[in-house]
């Protein structure tokens, strides 16, 4: 089975859980018999792990009649003549010259470099919507010139690409909902993003949600029939040998960590308020907020306002290796998310022998039995849980041992087998 897969990010160039999940799932699928994945991202940097999949960047694909050669895992593909109704232009003068001529109604003009390739940032910048549109244009070319059995598009940024590939190829489309704009915005939904999400859900032949929490939102907020949606939980990558040496804290104090984007969705303010309550009861503890986001300055100001700057640390964004090192120095991990479709970091923390506290408003709470669960807004319950894990070694020890055993069974191989079943059911319909 050949799968044409679209995603927005891929390690090591990631900004959160989406890229981590895409990497884990593609590795899991690669381990299954007779499954081949061609993974497409807007911008390939050249240092991505391609040991188990073929990966190409839309930024590498000419949008005019040019020869291209794909490098596969074991063999080269034949060179392809790319043809499309896209008219590339390099500068404004060329654009207006081309615009003055007559073209078919479907013709689209797109700015390229001298090699007729579209420049993608591959990030979430101010030109995001334009890049999503251009990504879909290139997706049509890729779908036209490759053989595959079905299409799999990850999250809303890749839905238009998935739809374009479906329209040109006639192959079935699976979309993977890692989050909705209701999660990211706290209910203050961007109508443009909502429209893209809804169009993707309606165009899809099957939908994979990362939790029943998300599945319910798809049904209630987007009006999608329940039978169209299958829940497949995320998993965690095994710890590699080079991550295992233990790092020392450098301080003789307990460490409590928040690790994630510092945005409204992740509930950083509730972590700070809980930290303040804990510090009223004990002094031998430090709090760490690892990550970056639009609420960073507000959180720094709140910590200063509460007078606990000496006990609170902001690390900024951490890369994957640094995440594990941070967890090695952590005594308690807290994820107080307001609306979390899944949440992979608690699994990584449990894998690192760290007891975890998670919100009831997270998808991962549906599958974890050995974690303390609280409502994100209940800062007193959060503070009590932190205090208990720091001061009762037997409780912390039980959650460490049981949690590590539990997370050992949450593998990407298992998740990939469930995704493959979705594929097979769709192709056999």
């Amino acid at each position: 089975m050949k799968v044409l897969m679209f995603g927005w990010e891929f390690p090591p160039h990631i900004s959160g859980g989406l890229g981590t999940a895409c990497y884990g799932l593609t590795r899991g699928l690669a381990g299954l018999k007779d499954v081949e994945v061609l993974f497409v991202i807007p911008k390939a940097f050249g240092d991505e792990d391609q040991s188990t999949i073929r990966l190409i960047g839309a930024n590498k694909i000419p949008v005019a009649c040019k020869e291209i050669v794909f490098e596969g895992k074991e063999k080269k593909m034949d060179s392809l003549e790319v043809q499309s109704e896209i008219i590339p232009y390099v500068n404004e003068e060329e654009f207006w010259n081309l615009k003055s001529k007559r073209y078919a109604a479907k013709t689209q003009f797109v700015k390229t470099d001298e090699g007729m390739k579209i420049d993608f940032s591959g990030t979430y910048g101010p030109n995001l919507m334009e890049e999503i549109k251009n990504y879909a244009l290139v997706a049509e070319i890729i779908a036209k010139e490759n053989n595959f059995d079905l299409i799999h598009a990850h999250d809303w940024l890749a839905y238009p690409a998935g739809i374009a590939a479906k329209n040109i190829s006639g192959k079935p489309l699976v979309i993977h909902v890692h989050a909705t704009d209701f999660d990211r915005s706290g209910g203050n939904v961007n109508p443009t993003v909502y429209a893209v999400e809804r169009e993707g859900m309606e165009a899809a032949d099957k939908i994979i949600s990362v939790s029943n929490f998300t599945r319910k939102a798809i049904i209630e907020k987007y009006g999608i029939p329940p039978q169209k949606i299958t829940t497949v939980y995320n998993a965690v990558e095994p710890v590699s040998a080079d991550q295992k040496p233990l790092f020392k804290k450098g301080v003789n104090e307990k460490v409590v960590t928040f690790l994630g984007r510092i945005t409204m969705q992740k509930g950083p303010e509730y972590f700070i308020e809980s930290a303040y309550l804990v510090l009223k009861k004990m002094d031998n503890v430090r709090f760490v907020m690892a990550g970056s986001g639009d609420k960073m300055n507000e959180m720094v100001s709140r910590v200063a306002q509460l007078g606990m700057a000496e006990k609170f640390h902001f690390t900024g964004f951490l890369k994957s290796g640094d995440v594990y090192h941070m967890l090695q120095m952590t005594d308690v991990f807290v994820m107080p998310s307001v609306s979390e479709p899944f949440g992979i970091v608690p699994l990584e923390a449990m894998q690192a022998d760290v007891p975890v506290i998670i919100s009831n408003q997270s998808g991962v709470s549906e599958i974890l039995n050995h974690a303390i669960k609280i409502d994100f807004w209940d800062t007193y319950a959060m503070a009590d849980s932190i205090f208990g894990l720091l001061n009762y070694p037997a409780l912390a020890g039980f959650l460490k041992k049981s949690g590590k055993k539990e997370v050992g069974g949450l593998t990407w191989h298992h998740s990939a087998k469930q995704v493959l079943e979705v594929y097979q059911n769709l192709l056999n319909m």
Side-chain angles (χ1 to χ4, degrees), residues 349-414:
M350 293 165 75
Q351 197 176 54
D353 289 319
V354 180
V356 304
I357 301 168
I358 58 178
S359 71
N360 288 316
Q361 292 73 29
S362 63
V364 73
S365 69
E366 297 171 16
I367 59 171
L368 289 182
N369 296 313
H370 297 97
I372 295 177
K373 304 173 189 179
I374 47 91
D375 291 316
F376 72 87
W377 45 263
D378 195 342
T379 54
Y380 285 92
M382 197 182 303
D384 285 344
S385 300
I386 294 169
F387 184 88
L389 288 171
L390 293 178
N391 290 280
Y392 296 95
L395 174 61
F398 171 76
L399 288 180
K400 284 182 186 180
K401 182 178 178 180
S402 301
K404 187 161 188 176
K405 182 178 179 181
E406 181 177 24
V407 80
L410 301 175
T411 66
W412 281 113
H413 178 76
H414 178 68

Side-chain angles (χ1 to χ4, degrees), residues 30-280:
L32 302 179
K33 187 178 179 181
D34 297 327
V35 178
E36 295 180 28
V37 178
L38 171 59
F39 197 97
V40 185
I41 51 177
K43 183 171 185 175
F45 292 86
D47 56 350
E48 296 87 357
D49 179 6
Q50 299 189 50
S51 59
T52 57
I53 64 165
R54 280 177 58 205
L55 183 142
I56 58 175
N59 64 313
K60 303 293 185 181
I61 306 298
V63 295
C65 294
K66 297 282 181 178
E67 279 192 345
I68 57 174
V69 179
F70 291 97
E71 291 282 353
K73 182 182 176 185
E74 299 177 350
K75 61 181 181 180
K76 283 189 177 182
M77 294 183 62
D78 293 333
S79 60
L80 307 173
E81 283 292 327
V82 176
Q83 306 208 1
S84 74
E85 294 171 326
I86 301 170
I87 304 296
Y89 66 93
V90 176
N91 53 47
E92 284 189 41
E93 181 181 357
E94 186 177 4
F95 170 78
W96 289 111
N97 285 337
L98 290 167
K99 195 78 172 174
S100 65
K101 300 176 183 178
R102 290 182 177 272
Y103 295 98
K106 291 183 178 180
T107 301
Q108 300 180 72
F109 293 86
V110 60
K111 189 173 183 179
T112 67
D113 60 18
E114 295 289 345
M116 300 303 172
K117 299 170 186 174
I118 301 174
D119 180 34
F120 290 91
S121 70
T123 63
Y124 302 86
N127 296 323
L128 181 60
M129 297 308 299
E130 182 181 357
E131 291 207 359
I132 290 171
K133 180 190 72 174
N134 289 340
Y135 187 38
L137 296 179
V138 180
E140 183 176 312
I141 294 173
I142 294 170
K144 192 184 297 183
E145 303 297 343
N146 284 274
N147 294 319
F148 53 91
D149 298 297
L150 57 82
I151 305 150
H152 188 151
H154 290 277
D155 226 39
W156 74 277
L157 306 112
Y159 295 167
I163 294 170
K166 176 182 177 176
N167 289 342
I168 201 69
S169 67
K171 298 297 174 66
L173 170 64
V174 175
I175 68 163
H176 207 131
V177 183
H178 295 265
T180 71
D181 204 47
F182 286 91
D183 302 304
R184 293 182 291 267
S185 67
N188 188 24
V189 175
N190 181 321
T192 302
V193 175
Y194 177 83
V196 173
E197 290 178 328
R198 184 161 186 166
E199 183 181 10
M201 293 175 189
E202 291 174 346
D205 297 280
K206 282 290 183 181
I207 298 172
I208 296 174
S209 63
V210 294
S211 64
N212 288 327
F213 177 84
T214 299
R215 184 176 185 270
K216 183 180 179 184
I218 295 170
I219 295 167
E220 295 180 353
K221 306 293 187 183
Y222 297 84
I224 304 301
Q227 63 271 20
K228 192 175 181 177
I229 314 161
T230 300
T231 294
V232 177
Y233 293 108
N234 287 333
V236 65
E237 278 285 295
V239 177
S240 60
D242 62 347
Q243 288 178 304
K244 288 182 179 178
L246 190 65
F247 276 64
K248 293 184 178 180
K249 298 178 192 174
V251 293
N252 186 29
E253 293 175 299
K254 301 289 186 179
V255 173
V256 181
T257 300
F258 167 106
L259 200 157
R261 284 181 291 111
I262 304 177
T263 63
M264 176 176 58
Q265 179 190 355
K266 303 294 181 178
E269 60 268 46
Y270 302 102
F271 178 73
I272 289 173
E273 299 305 322
S274 297
Y276 179 68
L277 294 172
V278 172
L279 287 169
K280 283 184 172 182

